[in-house]
Amino acid sequence: MENDSFVLLFFIDGLGMGTRGPHNPLDGLPNAEPLAIFQNEEPHLPFGGVLATTDARLAVEGRPQSASGQTTILTGINAAAAIGYHKQGFPNAPLLDIIREHSIFVQLKRAGVEPIIFANTYTNRFFETRPRWISATTAAVEAAGLRFNTVDDLKAGRAVYFDFTNALLIERGEQVDLRTPEEAGDVLARIVAGNRFTLYEYFITDKLGHAQEMNAARIVLQNLARMIRRALERIDLKCTTVILTSDHGNIEDLSTRSHTLNPVPTIVWGHDCREIAARIHSLTDITPAIVDVLTKGAVDGQSGQADSARATF
Ligand SMILES: [Zn+2]
């Protein structure tokens, strides 16, 4: 069976579905589609996106945190339940074990789905003085034996920095050009077109949520929305599924420096978006949905034609 589908997983750290009010930088923010999503409101989603309100609390007491939430997104395993609590920051040994065995990269490799890529860029500093603590994504890339993108890849238009404008990269002394959000969206769309599965990670949202910086948050969210809209414009949504999701709320409520208990928005665009959105209820549902799209795919190769006849997942 021919499968010619593609998937982009666009992961945003710390973006929940909040309420409207002065605490929420998305309230009243112009040109913030598709990120301006509020509880109990029908969202305006460009490019036919479908919202799946997604539980990030994972039936475990306390505020959702990054290490356990990201491990859950990247594996489909409820990592918070597995270790009994929400783990902050970087994954510990038990979470790293889960990532090594079950990450989406490993699952896709085992299924023969290739090429697959983490679109983010790593600077030389990462390779020279390897940090003691690494993110869930870095651990997943490493454990699956994927190549890390370097600044040279970025210069050649094959990678995107976590700050996709490159401003922070230039601040760190790298000789690279600034990118507009649209230019970054173009680069990401090209990466997506060349890989069966692409992961991109953005986490400045979480940092600004902790810092409670309203003005910076509004600027960053607007730029991020521009980058996403351009990528969606350039990606072939007939054969590609784009899934945007987050590990927990944070930036949508700047009245607190903590993560929130809000659900997170998962937004699905493109190929089979309605069916995929319908099966996503919690962070555990992301990876299984992606693996199914990339390993099962269109029934007869006529993408879209078989959708309504297809059994639910
Ligand atoms: Zn955080």
Side-chain angles (χ1 to χ4, degrees):
M1 182 172 68
E2 212 29 46
N3 182 322
D4 52 3
S5 53
F6 298 76
V7 173
L8 165 63
L9 176 58
F10 198 115
F11 166 67
I12 300 173
D13 198 318
L15 176 72
M17 290 173 60
T19 52
R20 287 188 184 269
H23 57 281
N24 190 340
L26 288 161
D27 190 13
L29 186 65
N31 299 316
E33 303 88 11
L35 301 176
I37 292 176
F38 305 95
Q39 289 177 26
N40 308 315
E41 280 185 37
E42 201 56 49
H44 172 68
L45 294 174
F47 303 97
V50 182
L51 172 69
T53 301
T54 306
D55 169 64
R57 299 176 66 176
L58 301 168
V60 171
E61 277 298 302
R63 293 180 186 279
Q65 301 293 345
S66 286
S68 43
Q70 290 168 20
T71 300
T72 303
I73 292 171
L74 292 174
T75 63
I77 291 169
N78 185 336
I83 61 172
Y85 66 104
H86 294 284
K87 170 77 180 71
Q88 281 185 303
F90 299 110
N92 56 8
L95 293 180
L96 289 171
D97 284 343
I98 294 172
I99 291 168
R100 279 189 205 108
E101 269 303 300
H102 304 284
S103 87
I104 183 157
F105 293 128
V106 166
Q107 292 189 44
L108 292 176
K109 266 197 142 179
R110 285 186 192 131
V113 175
E114 56 181 10
I116 57 180
I117 191 170
F118 184 41
N120 288 57
T121 306
Y122 289 75
T123 61
N124 279 334
R125 201 193 308 174
F126 171 80
F127 303 106
E128 285 159 6
T129 54
R130 193 195 141 91
R132 175 159 145 66
W133 295 96
I134 56 172
S135 69
T137 43
T138 298
V141 169
E142 202 167 58
L146 298 190
R147 203 177 71 79
F148 287 102
N149 282 322
T150 65
V151 174
D152 284 339
D153 291 308
L154 181 141
K155 287 178 180 166
R158 295 191 299 261
V160 183
Y161 197 52
F162 75 81
D163 167 26
F164 52 78
T165 68
N166 292 343
L168 289 176
L169 205 47
I170 292 165
E171 234 172 70
R172 289 174 186 191
E174 299 288 347
Q175 305 289 313
V176 298
D177 296 328
L178 275 175
R179 282 175 179 163
T180 64
E182 286 74 22
E183 286 168 342
D186 286 343
V187 173
L188 183 61
R190 277 201 302 274
I191 296 168
V192 170
N195 291 277
R196 295 291 308 286
F197 174 66
T198 301
L199 171 67
Y200 177 65
E201 174 178 23
Y202 185 83
F203 53 83
I204 297 173
T205 32
D206 188 57
K207 289 190 180 302
L208 292 175
H210 290 300
Q212 297 175 275
E213 289 182 28
M214 180 60 74
N215 286 338
R218 287 170 72 91
I219 292 166
V220 151
L221 287 165
Q222 244 171 1
N223 285 340
L224 181 60
R226 282 170 59 188
M227 190 270 211
I228 292 166
R229 289 198 303 269
R230 173 60 80 95
L232 288 168
E233 195 182 311
R234 295 295 162 94
I235 288 170
D236 182 358
L237 293 174
K238 288 191 299 298
C239 59
T240 309
T241 305
V242 176
I243 303 178
L244 180 153
T245 197
S246 182
D247 48 357
H248 52 73
N250 188 351
I251 199 168
E252 80 284 3
D253 184 358
L254 295 181
S255 71
T256 166
R257 50 170 305 150
S258 315
H259 296 171
T260 70
L261 298 172
N262 291 328
V264 297
T266 299
I267 313 173
V268 189
W269 288 271
H271 182 70
D272 277 354
C273 61
R274 294 203 168 274
E275 290 83 349
I276 295 164
R279 64 180 283 187
I280 294 175
H281 308 285
S282 129
L283 298 184
T284 56
D285 299 323
I286 310 276
T287 277
I290 295 171
V291 170
D292 280 353
V293 168
L294 291 174
T295 57
K296 294 174 185 159
V299 170
D300 55 1
Q302 300 266 309
S303 49
Q305 297 292 311
D307 286 358
S308 55
R310 189 102 54 84
T312 50
F313 289 93

